[in-house]
Amino acid sequence: MLAGLFPDVIIVERFTDPPDVHLYPQEADIVARAVDKRRREFATVRLCARTALAGLGIAPGPILRGDRGAPVWPEGIVGSMTHCDGYRAAAVARNTAVASVGIDAEPHAPLPAGVEKLVALPEERRMLDRLSVSHPAVAWDRLLFSAKESTYKTWFPLTGQWLDFPDCVITPDPEDGTFTCSLNVPGPVVDGRRIDRFTGHWRTATRDGASYVATAIMVPGTHRTAA
């Protein structure tokens, strides 16, 4: 669903939880009191991350939590992880090529009642109404939610600051599977340049009767490989 989107990013996805995924003791401590479902998704998404890191020649090791629950990556690595029912994924890259990456996946279904008003600005709600008429096959409110989650995951490693739902405006392109995110707050400075807008990709997929929507954003670094 997301694999292969970006030339400098390795994305590994899984739609099932393998049995007996290895966790390091420090990781096991994090989910020691969690229910089985939470332990399985926690373990599988770390399997995805370690597989992706191996593609960069990084030896396996624990992937712990840092500030606000963000994953702590090996030195010189940026990355992001996501999971929802039936889907887990991790994205990693070297920080010489990529400044930040954020991914998110959700069930491809409308948001629960009342949630749209919490995450969407008035102009976004008007846009969602239009898209729901012109392209009814997509759960646009859920896609917007996912895009804002990917935005935060991209933003936080660059700033170390919280970003709330009203702090950005998402504009999806229904034809080419992309979206823009315009920030309503001062953007991060990357390589001496302030970034006030992110560009991302969105995808939908169905697997074993379950439907998913996923979003991804990548901010290039100074030494990005030419496409």
Side-chain angles (χ1 to χ4, degrees):
M1 187 159 58
L2 293 176
L5 272 181
F6 306 119
D8 295 302
V9 181
I10 297 178
I11 300 179
V12 173
E13 308 167 296
R14 294 194 69 102
F15 290 87
T16 59
D17 295 317
D20 303 321
V21 176
H22 170 73
L23 285 178
Y24 289 84
Q26 307 98 304
E27 295 173 328
D29 287 344
I30 296 174
V31 289
R33 298 186 179 182
V35 299
D36 180 64
K37 175 181 180 294
R38 170 63 180 141
R39 288 196 299 270
R40 285 188 285 107
E41 64 189 17
F42 179 93
T44 302
V45 79
R46 277 159 176 76
L47 172 63
C48 292
R50 281 189 266 276
T51 304
L53 288 168
L56 295 176
I58 306 296
I63 301 171
L64 305 180
R65 289 175 175 170
D67 293 341
R68 298 189 182 273
V72 178
W73 299 103
E75 185 71 24
I77 299 298
V78 297
S80 181
M81 298 190 293
T82 187
H83 55 76
C84 66
D85 285 348
Y87 179 81
R88 294 79 166 92
V92 299
R94 295 195 180 277
N95 64 6
T96 51
V98 174
S100 188
V101 60
I103 63 172
D104 182 76
E106 306 286 336
H108 188 210
L111 289 170
V115 175
E116 180 185 312
K117 292 183 178 179
L118 299 176
V119 303
L121 294 164
E123 61 264 41
E124 291 175 319
R125 292 201 294 273
R126 292 191 292 269
M127 173 197 64
L128 294 176
D129 289 342
R130 293 193 299 269
L131 288 172
S132 295
V133 172
S134 63
H135 296 76
V138 178
W140 293 105
D141 57 346
R142 185 75 72 160
L143 189 152
L144 180 137
F145 177 86
S146 179
K148 292 204 173 190
E149 289 291 304
S150 285
T151 296
Y152 176 73
K153 292 179 181 181
T154 305
W155 158 278
F156 184 75
L158 297 174
T159 65
Q161 299 176 3
W162 179 256
L163 188 74
D164 209 348
F165 289 118
D167 292 334
C168 63
V169 178
I170 302 297
T171 305
D173 187 319
E175 304 299 338
D176 68 359
T178 62
F179 65 90
T180 59
C181 169
S182 300
L183 297 169
N184 289 332
V185 294
V189 176
V190 177
D191 297 332
R193 178 175 61 92
R194 184 170 297 280
I195 297 177
D196 295 317
R197 175 179 293 190
F198 296 135
T199 300
H201 295 257
W202 62 269
R203 297 288 186 270
T204 60
T206 299
R207 178 80 171 253
D208 298 328
S211 295
Y212 309 93
V213 59
T215 55
I217 297 171
M218 186 271 287
V219 178
T222 304
H223 304 293
R224 184 187 178 197
T225 302

